[in-house]
Amino acid sequence: DAGVIQSPRHEVTEMGQEVTLRCKPISGHDYLFWYRQTMMRGLELLIYFNNNVPIDDSGMPEDRFSAKMPNASFSTLKIQPSEPRDSAVYFCASSLAGGHETQYFGPGTRLLVL
Amino acid sequence: AQTVTQSQPEMSVQEAETVTLSCTYDTSESDYYLFWYKQPPSRQMILVIRQEAYKQQNATENRFSVNFQKAAKSFSLKISDSQLGDAAMYFCAYRRVPSGSARQLTFGSGTQLTVLP
């Protein structure tokens, strides 16, 4: 079975540019999560979706960040405009409702904003 | 709010030996899930083991086992017969039983494990 797929794996951009991160969850999973990992703050939840609907976006840092899930197999996290402090590893994870709802993570996107 | 504490930023173990990584958590919930994830240099987050709080029996997955002490709010990971491939950052994570919007994982700060040949 294919796991969670993220693209790109690495992104280097200049301050002020728009960045779009992509995620394909595990087929059949109905929850999708976006996490950010930094040295200073560790792993923190940005937003999550249930059946393509955003449920909790309280972790989204500010209006420069937006996330969408147009269908069950695709989600995007967009940063516009990007800033150096956005440099981090961004993870997408998905889970199946019911029981333990273990979250399975993608390989992450390492973002560097210069 | 729930918190997860990993008090050992770094640990090392000799190949083939056993090592235990510590994790404590704080919660007022009676039912929840605990996880250990492994993050090797590739940065991929890999599930190692899962424990349901309502189960008294400690979870085991091959060389990996946990010591779950609910009253003490402790959840340690034991790695037996350590292998070079076990070298990674290990994260302990907590999640309450899914209810409403509270489905996120709360992570500890991680323990970097080095395996010495």
Side-chain angles (χ1 to χ4, degrees), chain A residues 5-79:
Chain A
I5 299 172
Q6 290 186 248
S7 64
R9 294 292 305 277
H10 303 274
E11 178 80 29
V12 180
T13 191
E14 293 187 345
M15 184 174 62
Q17 296 298 306
E18 177 180 294
V19 175
T20 300
L21 311 181
R22 298 172 176 80
C23 175
K24 176 179 170 56
I26 294 172
S27 178
H29 281 192
D30 41 13
Y31 283 92
L32 184 140
F33 304 80
W34 283 100
Y35 289 88
R36 178 172 67 175
Q37 184 179 33
T38 62
M39 288 294 292
M40 291 296 293
R41 300 174 66 90
L43 278 151
E44 53 183 348
L45 178 74
L46 300 177
I47 186 171
Y48 81 87
F49 296 82
N50 176 219
N51 291 326
N52 314 335
V53 176
I55 302 300
D56 184 354
D57 65 355
S58 59
M60 295 287 263
E62 49 197 273
D63 292 345
R64 296 185 298 106
F65 285 69
S66 63
K68 294 181 180 180
M69 192 165 185
N71 57 63
S73 59
F74 183 66
S75 176
T76 60
L77 178 67
K78 186 175 293 186
I79 308 172

Side-chain angles (χ1 to χ4, degrees), chain B residues 55-91:
Chain B
K55 289 186 177 180
Q56 292 186 338
Q57 185 173 6
N58 290 324
T60 299
E61 289 286 343
N62 300 313
R63 298 182 295 106
F64 298 87
S65 61
V66 299
N67 184 5
F68 174 49
Q69 301 289 328
K70 191 172 183 179
K73 297 181 182 176
S74 171
F75 183 59
S76 61
L77 175 70
K78 186 172 82 170
I79 306 173
S80 304
D81 186 24
S82 297
Q83 301 176 358
L84 295 178
D86 295 334
M89 181 75 87
Y90 285 81
F91 291 95

